Amino acid sequence: MDLKDLYRDVILDHNKQPRNFGRLDPADARADGHNPLCGDRLSVFVKMNGDRVEDLRFEGKGCAISTASASLMTEAVKGKDKAAIGALFAKVHALLTQQDVVPGTELGKLAALSGVREFPARVKCASLCWHTLNAALERGTATVSTE
């Protein structure tokens, strides 16, 4: 299976059956994100255990890429500490925005997001959840817009 097939299959799967979808109550942190270019809106809820994300969920409405990216992100960051999440975000951001970046095995299913960079207008769809998670981790409760 080539990367384009993987991209399509993973995006479709996580869009149709998003993992960790729904409200988390109680949550230690929450942030709301909005991409006005395509109308994506999502909320990220985080339960912390010290500096580590114990649980993470999201809810909202968005395009297939936005929903799939949020689903993939929640699977990837559960159990990680803030520093590891920051490093992972940097790798995903580079994957989405830099043509010469080759996805490493440490990204797992997140490597499928590399297909998004072929559609520059959709990069904000894929990165909205990551910016929203960062806002929740940094500020507890926040609103993010990818204008």
Side-chain angles (χ1 to χ4, degrees):
M1 174 182 290
D2 74 0
L3 197 54
K4 287 183 181 182
D5 290 337
L6 176 67
Y7 164 74
R8 184 190 66 242
D9 292 348
V10 170
I11 297 297
L12 289 175
D13 178 43
H14 279 264
N15 178 53
K16 287 181 182 175
Q17 299 173 351
R19 281 52 154 195
N20 304 301
F21 186 82
R23 186 175 291 268
L24 178 63
D25 192 28
D28 298 315
R30 172 195 175 159
D32 300 313
H34 178 227
N35 178 355
L37 295 175
C38 70
D40 298 334
R41 288 188 177 273
L42 66 86
S43 297
V44 172
F45 305 89
V46 183
K47 178 78 172 162
M48 301 297 293
N49 184 355
D51 203 32
R52 189 167 301 279
V53 171
E54 182 175 291
D55 200 5
L56 172 70
R57 297 182 63 81
F58 77 100
E59 66 179 10
K61 293 186 184 221
C63 68
I65 293 170
S66 177
T67 300
S69 183
S71 177
L72 288 161
M73 178 196 71
T74 62
E75 286 190 325
V77 304
K78 267 190 189 180
K80 289 187 173 32
D81 63 27
K82 289 181 180 182
I85 292 168
L88 187 58
F89 172 69
K91 290 177 183 176
V92 170
H93 189 266
L95 183 71
L96 291 170
T97 60
Q98 299 172 21
Q99 292 296 325
D100 59 340
V101 173
V102 177
T105 57
E106 75 281 359
L107 289 179
K109 288 182 183 179
L110 290 170
L113 294 174
S114 67
V116 173
R117 68 179 167 214
E118 302 300 320
F119 309 97
R122 305 312 296 266
V123 168
K124 288 184 178 185
C125 301
S127 63
L128 176 64
C129 61
W130 291 91
H131 290 292
T132 306
L133 173 60
N134 281 343
L137 293 175
E138 290 175 10
R139 295 185 284 281
T141 302
T143 301
V144 173
S145 179
T146 60
E147 293 184 78

